[in-house]
Amino acid sequence: MSAISEALTSVRRRVAAATAKRTSNVRHEVRLVAVSKTKPVEDIIEAYQNGQRDFGENYVQELVEKANNEKILKLCPEIRWHLIGHLQRNKVPKIVALKNLSMVETVDSTKLAEALNTARQKYIPNGGPLSVMIQVNTSNEEAKSGIAPEDAPSLAEYIKDSCRSLKLVGVMTIGAYDYDVSLGPNPDFLRLITCRNTVSSHLEIDAEELELSMGMSSDYEHAIELGSTNIRVGSTIFGARNYSKPSVEVKK
Ligand SMILES: *Cc1c(COP(=O)(O)O)cnc(C)c1O
């Protein structure tokens, strides 16, 4: 078995074990999003051939190039792409019509939601709504994108009431890095759960109808135990990233 296949098998086993430890009644199964940023097309195909279907990318240009890659289109027809990095409004037209785009996890303003909704209607009028998550800045760090937790309910309401080409499926956070799990539940994850609960009561829907996207390589099991339904795992599957050699050339 290759390194990627072995890593996927191990992550799946750990996901199943963490899922079994969940105390609350989480309605959704856990979706493993394999974060392939900076990694070559061959690695994505290999993971796909090992049964992986959801893949996450941070940068719009890299997502566009990989989603349009001929080999991936041919060999990975059921691939589901997630945008997990910051999206600028002027880049929205580049991604809404992408084949196999499954979810934009990083909506953090009404203006961005509006732009996505308008572009979706324009480019794929009969395509059904695009699934989106609200990115929440739970760690209150300037450098991290995401909306402040207290502003999430009104954004959720805007998406639900005014964006008929978008479907709000959950909330997402990155959180502070290097949290030591032995100290207890990650406060960022707890803040995302609280935010999800506030949003769902504001929308008058069941909390379990909204997913939680939290947990990465270092803490995905912990996140699942707290109720995460969408984990974003990169380096544990594909190996450490080398940022000095981008896998896709950035076109100016
Ligand atoms: C890179 C990235 C991940 C994956 O990080 P790993 O530590 O490699 O698992 C998850 N989420 C976001 C938003 C990322 O940018």
Side-chain angles (χ1 to χ4, degrees):
M1 253 205 307
S2 77
I4 290 175
S5 300
E6 266 176 44
L8 271 172
T9 303
S10 150
V11 170
R12 285 186 193 122
R13 204 175 290 138
R14 286 161 180 268
V15 166
T19 306
K21 281 200 214 161
R22 291 195 294 203
T23 47
S24 64
N25 253 338
V26 183
R27 193 179 297 165
H28 295 273
E29 282 183 31
V30 176
R31 181 187 308 106
L32 169 62
V33 179
V35 178
S36 48
K37 64 188 180 203
T38 78
K39 297 297 176 182
V41 163
E42 289 67 32
D43 287 8
I44 295 168
I45 294 170
E46 190 174 335
Y48 183 94
Q49 289 177 341
N50 192 277
Q52 181 61 30
R53 289 294 176 268
D54 291 275
F55 290 82
E57 288 286 339
N58 270 57
Y59 300 103
V60 169
Q61 190 60 37
E62 190 171 348
L63 171 62
V64 169
E65 295 195 13
K66 285 175 173 170
N68 287 329
N69 179 275
E70 275 179 37
K71 275 195 214 157
I72 291 184
L73 284 170
K74 184 158 170 261
L75 297 172
C76 313
E78 290 169 19
I79 198 166
R80 295 186 288 265
W81 289 107
H82 294 235
L83 180 66
I84 60 168
H86 182 62
L87 176 58
Q88 288 172 299
R89 264 186 293 155
N90 62 2
K91 302 231 171 104
V92 162
K94 281 189 179 222
I95 70 147
V96 281
L98 271 189
K99 199 161 158 52
N100 302 321
L101 177 68
S102 174
M103 200 184 285
V104 173
E105 297 196 18
T106 50
V107 175
D108 61 0
S109 69
T110 49
K111 283 185 170 168
L112 179 57
E114 181 188 20
L116 277 166
N117 184 57
T118 308
R120 185 80 176 179
Q121 273 162 29
K122 177 173 169 194
Y123 294 108
I124 348 186
N126 305 316
L130 172 65
S131 293
V132 297
M133 288 191 180
I134 293 176
Q135 182 177 1
V136 184
N137 187 347
T138 52
S139 48
N140 193 22
E141 288 167 284
E142 286 284 329
K144 297 239 167 78
S145 27
I147 195 167
E150 60 271 23
D151 295 330
S154 59
L155 175 55
E157 182 182 332
Y158 177 79
I159 294 171
K160 193 171 173 230
D161 292 347
S162 309
C163 302
R164 63 182 167 86
S165 292
L166 303 182
K167 179 176 166 33
L168 179 66
V169 297
V171 289
M172 174 270 211
T173 188
I174 297 176
Y177 296 119
D178 298 327
Y179 174 74
D180 178 0
V181 177
S182 70
L183 297 175
N186 184 327
D188 280 301
F189 295 171
L190 295 181
R191 281 190 281 265
L192 191 70
I193 294 167
T194 302
C195 180
R196 187 270 310 264
N197 295 346
T198 311
V199 166
S200 52
S201 51
H202 186 75
L203 298 180
E204 298 180 328
I205 59 173
D206 195 47
E208 288 300 326
E209 281 184 42
L210 290 177
E211 290 196 45
L212 296 167
S213 174
M214 58 189 199
M216 322 203 312
S217 285
S218 57
D219 54 12
Y220 65 91
E221 293 159 282
H222 176 66
I224 291 170
E225 286 180 43
L226 291 176
S228 178
T229 56
N230 190 86
I231 54 170
R232 311 177 308 266
V233 180
S235 42
T236 292
I237 296 172
F238 296 111
R241 287 178 291 273
N242 179 354
Y243 282 102
S244 62
K245 274 192 241 150
S247 61
V248 173
E249 213 176 308
V250 179
K251 293 203 186 91
K252 291 275 153 54

